Structures are given as structure tokens and as C-alpha cells.
Amino acid sequence: EAGVTQFPSHSVIEKGQTVTLRCDPISGHDNLYWYRRVMGKEIKFLLHFVKESKQDESGMPNNRFLAERTGGTYSTLKVQPAELEDSGVYFCASSRRRQETQYFGPGTRLLVL
Amino acid sequence: DQQVKQNSPSLSVQEGRISILNCDYTNSMFDYFLWYKKYPAEGPTFLISISSIKDKNEDGRFTVFLNKSAKHLSLHIVPSQPGDSAVYFCAASPPSGSARQLTFGSGTQLTVLP
């Protein structure tokens, strides 16, 4: 079974530009989560999809962040326009059911200059 | 304000000895706790979990202890191996009826010396 995959692995952009991160969850996993780790600190929850519906987006920092999961398969997280403080590692995780273990992808390392 | 705290950013242990990683939480609504291990340039990997109805869960060399009254949990690794060197994150989750968003600590870098 393939694990959670994320693309790109790294992204370096300038302040004000747009970046789109992609996450492909484990096949059959209805629950998809986005997390972020900034400056080596704790990993923080951003939002949770159940299939294509946003279940909880309480962790999204502001309206520059837009997450979608069309068709309930892969998800994208767009940052527009990017700011310096958006730099960090963005992780995606998925689980089959809400109460089950979340499996994480390798992350996308975003650097905003 | 951090609801899950790992106060030791790093820990060094000799191979074969016990590693004890600690975690404290403040939110009494958390009822499920997990430990994840993370190697550089990889995502966190699930290690072991414990429900609030238990005080101990064991899986091979890994044991997690939960002290609800103290809002404290710990991960014991016995015996420690060099391959255990990684960052260990403690995470907590609210009751199963709500969204299972995880709240993480800031991690502890474990180094097992050969």
C-alpha cells in the first residue's frame, strides 16, 4: 500500500508569489489533514477534510490560505500571496476513519524569501 | 499557549539503556495520546498510542505511561538502539466524537550513542 505522498518536496518562492502544495492520501482514506511546522516548533493543525468536505478549518492562519479536495481524493493547499512567516514544513496526513491513526506524508518544505 | 509540552528539547542515552521521554498537557478534554517518531526530511511516523481509560500500553521495546491526574505521559524505550535516534513528538486528541485533530508538542531529539 502506497503511503501519503506530497508534492513538491521543496519550494522556494519570493514574498508575494503564489504556491500550491499537493497531497495524495492513502487510497481509501476519507480523512485528510493538513499540518504545519514553523521554525522547528510544534506541528500545528491547519484543517481536516472528510471526503471533499471541510470538517474543521479552525487552524488556518488567515484567508491567504485556501485548501481544496475536489472529488474527495487528493488535496491542494494554496498560499496566495505568500508572506515570510509562511515558511515552514507543511505535512499532510490521512486516516481511513476519523478515530484511526493518522499517517503522515514526508512534507513540503516551503521557504518564502 | 501550548496545550502539549515537551520540556526537554534533547536527550542522549547510551545504547542498551532506557530512554524516557516526557510530555505534559493542560487540556483535560484530551482523551487519546500518541507518540510519533520523525527522522530528518521525513514525515512523522506513528509509534504508539494510549487511550485515557488506560494507564499503560506496551508494544515491544516501547511503553507509554499515562498519569491523568498529573496530566503527564511518558514514553519508555528499552533497550535503546542507535536506530531510535530521531525526534519524538507527543500528540493529543480530543474525544472521539469530535474531529481528531492532533495537538503536538515541540518534540524531543533523542540521540542513542553506540
Side-chain angles (χ1 to χ4, degrees), chain A residues 63-83:
Chain A
N63 58 11
R64 295 186 293 103
F65 289 75
L66 175 64
E68 295 179 324
R69 191 182 182 195
T70 308
T73 54
Y74 71 90
S75 173
T76 58
L77 179 64
K78 181 190 288 187
V79 185
Q80 180 183 30
E83 298 289 344

Side-chain angles (χ1 to χ4, degrees), chain A residues 5-24:
Chain A
T5 57
Q6 294 187 244
F7 182 83
S9 59
H10 295 79
S11 181
V12 181
I13 61 172
E14 291 189 350
K15 175 182 172 180
Q17 289 187 321
T18 297
V19 63
T20 300
L21 314 180
R22 173 172 170 145
C23 167
D24 286 78

